[in-house]
Amino acid sequence: MEALRCLPGVGPKSASRMAFHLVERDRVGAERLAHALLAAAEGVRHCRRCRNLSEAELCSVCADPARDASLLCVVETPADVLAIEQATGFRGQYFVLMGRLSPLDGIGPSELGLDRLEARLDEGQVRELILATNPTVEGEATAHYLAMLARERGIRSTRIAHGVPMGGELEYIDGGTLAHAFSGRREV
Amino acid sequence: MEALRCLPGVGPKSASRMAFHLVERDRVGAERLAHALLAAAEGVRHCRRCRNLSEAELCSVCADPARDASLLCVVETPADVLAIEQATGFRGQYFVLMGRLSPLDGIGPSELGLDRLEARLDEGQVRELILATNPTVEGEATAHYLAMLARERGIRSTRIAHGVPMGGELEYIDGGTLAHAFSGRREV
């Protein structure tokens, strides 16, 4: 039970429920989970090229020759890569910051591996840098900084669209998003 | 209590709580509410020009000479007008559909007053038609229909931006919105 509490969202009650379930009813599942955890804890590292989580030295996206190296999408976390892979037909490559610029927390360009990103931009293959950081204050600041890096090298940078979410209703959207959606309207 | 139940979201319990509160502790409030309801039920009608709710024949926006008549924003409901007025610095005028195209429910162009909208576009003052219907299936279909009306008259039409809401996180956004935000990315 004590060990299970390291899982996010698991308190004492859930931990004891999980522990009893595994011990009383699913010992095979418990063993499989143990092996998977060991393998992950030992084997998962960061892709040398994009900093995403990966078991090999190069992640599956970076290792895939069919992916378009001229499109580079910058995201904050590996979960964002997963979301984009599942939702869109994006066929380019990624760079995972593993965070966002946050000077107050001591997170600057070097903590985000931006030297590696700069080196990659300098290679000359990237033609479009897609800034897919979150539309939070820190995510926006990070996007601005990255856009500057791209501009210095004459590379085009684009920002994913912000506005009313699909299926949403104007009436219930927050004012900031509505103002953004309004000023960012596009020709039909 | 029975009469209070006509309010949306008010069930038997809330109705009895409200009724007792008004009778036991706030008779003045009850009277003021009664007068306001009578005045609203008798006096509120639709603005002759934009179909928004209004007490006068022309609503305050249509009657204001300072508003820019060359920008016309089409919304589904009066609540949308309120949201846009509060959130954005929009200084143009509105047209309120009081619904959206929905052939299955028998709501076609004439129910939405599109003849009046067409007449207004024919006046020649409008230079940009801003389509601010909701990003739902029916709202999108309505926007397409309206864009067609604008195109026939050589008027520019724009759609408010759709994408990740401000402050949102890519990881938790639905796939449709993320795909839309990705394909709708813009130059920084």
Side-chain angles (χ1 to χ4, degrees), chain A residues 72-130:
Chain A
L72 186 61
C73 176
V74 185
V75 296
E76 292 182 15
T77 67
D80 294 338
V81 173
L82 195 68
I84 292 174
E85 285 291 292
Q86 286 173 347
T88 71
F90 181 61
R91 294 299 301 159
Q93 298 185 334
Y94 295 94
F95 188 86
V96 183
L97 299 173
M98 304 299 297
R100 69 224 79 174
L101 286 180
S102 179
L104 286 180
D105 302 322
I107 300 178
S110 58
E111 281 74 21
L112 300 182
L114 293 195
D115 44 337
R116 264 200 266 179
L117 178 62
E118 291 192 57
R120 187 137 166 207
L121 294 180
D122 286 331
E123 284 172 17
Q125 268 198 305
V126 178
R127 280 188 297 103
E128 178 180 350
L129 189 70
I130 301 173

Side-chain angles (χ1 to χ4, degrees), chain A residues 128 156 159 167 185-186, chain B residues 128 135 159 185-187:
Chain A
E128 178 180 350
R156 184 174 164 235
R159 185 90 174 97
R185 62 184 185 269
R186 348 181 67 183
Chain B
E128 179 181 349
R159 185 89 173 97
R185 63 184 184 269
R186 350 181 67 185
E187 203 90 19

Side-chain angles (χ1 to χ4, degrees), chain B residues 52-105:
Chain B
N52 198 358
L53 296 174
S54 163
E55 283 181 289
E57 201 172 338
L58 269 187
C59 73
S60 58
V61 172
C62 289
D64 183 352
R67 308 281 304 209
D68 184 353
S70 69
L71 286 174
L72 185 61
C73 176
V74 185
V75 295
E76 292 183 15
T77 66
D80 294 338
V81 173
L82 196 67
I84 292 174
E85 285 290 292
Q86 285 172 349
T88 72
F90 182 61
R91 295 300 301 160
Q93 298 186 333
Y94 295 95
F95 188 85
V96 183
L97 300 173
M98 303 299 297
R100 69 223 79 173
L101 286 180
S102 179
L104 287 179
D105 303 322

Side-chain angles (χ1 to χ4, degrees), chain A:
Chain A
M1 288 180 211
E2 198 53 39
L4 280 164
R5 301 256 329 250
C6 73
L7 296 171
V10 174
K13 291 269 180 198
S14 314
S16 83
R17 201 169 129 244
M18 288 172 172
F20 284 121
H21 172 83
L22 291 176
V23 173
E24 290 172 8
R25 287 193 219 122
D26 196 3
R27 298 223 172 197
V28 179
E31 273 173 34
R32 212 171 48 223
L33 178 57
H35 290 306
L37 287 171
L38 279 179
E42 277 168 21
V44 173
R45 50 184 155 176
H46 290 282
C47 168
R48 183 164 48 80
R49 201 160 159 72
C50 74
R51 307 221 323 160
N52 198 359
L53 297 174
S54 163
E55 283 180 288
E57 202 173 337
L58 269 187
C59 73
S60 58
V61 172
C62 290
D64 183 351
R67 307 283 302 211
D68 185 352
S70 70
L71 286 174
L72 186 61
C73 176
V74 185
V75 296
E76 292 182 15
T77 67
D80 294 338
V81 173
L82 195 68
I84 292 174
E85 285 291 292
Q86 286 173 347
T88 71
F90 181 61
R91 294 299 301 159
Q93 298 185 334
Y94 295 94
F95 188 86
V96 183
L97 299 173
M98 304 299 297
R100 69 224 79 174
L101 286 180
S102 179
L104 286 180
D105 302 322
I107 300 178
S110 58
E111 281 74 21
L112 300 182
L114 293 195
D115 44 337
R116 264 200 266 179
L117 178 62
E118 291 192 57
R120 187 137 166 207
L121 294 180
D122 286 331
E123 284 172 17
Q125 268 198 305
V126 178
R127 280 188 297 103
E128 178 180 350
L129 189 70
I130 301 173
L131 306 170
T133 53
N134 290 327
T136 54
V137 175
E138 291 170 343
E140 288 291 342
T142 309
H144 271 278
Y145 186 86
L146 296 173
M148 206 189 63
L149 293 184
R151 192 163 48 239
E152 281 170 5
R153 290 161 178 82
I155 294 168
R156 184 174 164 235
S157 62
T158 54
R159 185 90 174 97
I160 55 166
H162 301 137
V164 186
M166 303 308 291
E169 312 236 340
L170 263 60
E171 187 183 344
Y172 301 112
I173 226 70
D174 65 291
T177 298
L178 188 52
H180 213 283
F182 221 79
S183 65
R185 62 184 185 269
R186 348 181 67 183
E187 203 90 18
V188 177

